[in-house]
Amino acid sequence: MAATPRSGAITPPHRTHTFKMLLKREFWEHKGGFFWAPLVAGGISLLLTVMAIIVGEVVARRAMADGKIDIDGGDFTVNGLDLGQLTSQMDPSRMHELANAMDLSMLLASSWPFIVLAFVVFFYCLGALYDERKDRSVLFWKSLPLSDRDTVLSKAASATLLAPALAVGASLVTMFGFLLVISLVALVHNGNPIELVWGPGSPLLVSASLIAAIPVYALWAMPTVGWLLLCSAWSRSKPFLWALMIPLFAGIFVSWFDLMQAFNMESTWFWKNVVARVLFSVMPGTWVSASNGLDVSPDTVRELISLKTMYATLLTPELWIGVLAGAVMIFAAIRLRRWRDDG
């Protein structure tokens, strides 16, 4: 007869549940950087847009009061701005240019949270393992049934997946807020927002592209994330200086002695594929330069943000070599955390 478990026995938590709780811990401890910073950046973007529109309205109304406006020394008559009449006079080529301009405007409006994301991820990874040694909290976390592997991997996942996902959410809120502001301006000037804003633009395509970029970002950012976590686990003090100076001095050393000539390469290759990849891969969109090597030459913004163009990066050796290098450095950070618990 099979033995039945005692009613008072405690079942250990599943590994996936433990990892989920570690991700929640990272979110709550860094909620200001992961959640609020991208939202605040998007809010500032919208505020500046509204201020620019107000200034433009004031200048335009003053010009209409005078009947003329001076541009580059020439006088132009101003009889009011009727966007409805302007739209009716657009030919297909002009409408195509308007569509491209709207898509570009949406991308620019949604870029603010991504700029903040790069700084958040950089400094988060830099202090992820160093700060817990500095304040001695690593002793508490090591007393819990949490492996060094799961702890370090949860920090890497937070940097490459959690933070970008939250930044994408903030960018989408910013982008649709921008569209609402522009739609209101169109209505004020007798324009149809459907014909001028939502029709020519592709908000759903841009939104889908931003969401689809998350796994590309996670893979492309691996070298920087791995390097910063390694410096965070290894350095006894000033991890920022170590993380910055080692790649820079390596680039200067290689350039000074022309070491790349042994491989029939220029020193610029080392700066682009080693130094820049180690330090700046957390900046969203930097993978576009790699996909250009596959003869990807988008003529419009829609082609630039298409899945074909974006996922062409997955066919480049630069991405997968970076993933491998990042994985090796993350493994080294795990090993270092097992014994480096000094303050």
Side-chain angles (χ1 to χ4, degrees):
M1 182 176 180
T4 57
R6 292 177 298 173
S7 58
I10 300 177
T11 304
H14 194 269
R15 182 173 297 174
T16 56
H17 177 72
T18 301
F19 194 78
K20 181 180 178 180
M21 294 303 298
L22 286 172
L23 289 178
K24 287 184 177 180
R25 166 206 166 187
E26 297 300 323
F27 171 74
W28 287 112
E29 287 189 354
H30 302 88
K31 187 176 180 180
F34 286 171
F35 182 76
W36 290 113
L39 280 180
V40 171
I44 293 175
S45 172
L46 290 178
L47 178 61
L48 292 178
T49 300
V50 172
M51 292 174 61
I53 291 174
I54 292 175
V55 171
E57 289 287 336
V58 171
V59 173
R61 290 185 182 278
R62 287 180 179 177
M64 283 186 285
D66 297 336
K68 292 183 179 181
I69 184 172
D70 181 80
I71 300 179
D72 292 334
D75 290 334
F76 296 86
T77 302
V78 178
N79 295 320
L81 180 60
D82 192 327
L83 294 180
Q85 183 179 1
L86 183 64
T87 307
S88 63
Q89 297 176 356
M90 283 188 175
D91 55 24
S93 63
R94 294 293 184 183
M95 290 300 296
H96 178 74
E97 293 177 359
L98 175 62
N100 199 37
M102 283 304 306
D103 290 338
L104 180 60
S105 299
M106 286 187 287
L107 279 179
L108 293 177
S110 63
S111 64
W112 284 57
F114 294 123
I115 296 174
V116 173
L117 170 68
F119 290 95
V120 168
V121 171
F122 188 96
F123 288 101
Y124 164 75
C125 292
L126 200 58
L129 300 175
Y130 173 78
D131 289 344
E132 65 179 13
R133 286 188 291 114
K134 184 178 179 181
D135 59 20
R136 309 294 289 179
S137 63
V138 64
L139 301 177
F140 168 74
W141 292 110
K142 283 193 173 185
S143 67
L144 301 178
L146 301 172
S147 66
D148 296 295
R149 179 196 61 190
D150 290 345
T151 301
V152 176
L153 289 181
S154 68
K155 296 178 184 296
S158 298
T160 57
L161 294 173
L162 179 60
L166 294 174
V168 167
S171 69
L172 294 181
V173 172
T174 304
M175 184 185 72
F176 282 100
F178 170 79
L179 291 175
L180 289 176
V181 171
I182 299 302
S183 298
L184 181 60
V185 173
L187 285 173
V188 169
H189 290 283
N190 196 30
N192 187 344
I194 303 299
E195 295 180 358
L196 284 171
V197 180
W198 300 88
S202 307
L204 296 182
L205 175 61
V206 175
S207 301
S209 299
L210 295 179
I211 296 173
I214 294 177
V216 180
Y217 176 86
L219 294 173
W220 186 258
M222 281 285 287
T224 303
V225 171
W227 169 246
L228 296 177
L229 287 176
L230 179 60
C231 291
S232 184
W234 167 75
S235 61
R236 294 181 180 273
S237 65
K238 300 177 179 60
F240 175 78
L241 291 180
W242 287 110
L244 189 65
M245 291 303 165
I246 291 178
L248 290 180
F249 278 120
I252 294 172
F253 183 81
V254 169
S255 300
W256 198 345
F257 293 98
D258 290 329
L259 297 182
M260 297 307 299
Q261 293 294 332
F263 305 96
N264 294 323
M265 294 181 180
E266 297 292 334
S267 298
T268 53
W269 183 94
F270 187 86
W271 283 96
K272 177 182 178 182
N273 294 280
V274 178
V275 179
R277 291 282 280 122
V278 163
L279 293 178
F280 304 116
S281 292
V282 291
M283 178 64 71
T286 51
W287 57 77
V288 174
S289 60
S291 62
N292 287 339
L294 299 177
D295 295 329
V296 177
S297 55
D299 297 325
T300 65
V301 177
R302 292 185 183 181
E303 293 178 6
L304 177 64
I305 63 177
S306 67
L307 294 181
K308 178 181 178 181
T309 303
M310 186 183 307
Y311 280 90
T313 310
L314 300 179
L315 302 177
T316 61
E318 291 93 334
L319 182 137
W320 295 109
I321 293 174
V323 170
L324 179 60
V328 170
M329 288 185 284
I330 290 175
F331 175 77
I334 294 173
R335 301 292 295 181
L336 282 171
R337 189 181 185 271
R338 292 184 179 180
W339 58 270
R340 181 63 69 87
D341 58 358
D342 57 300

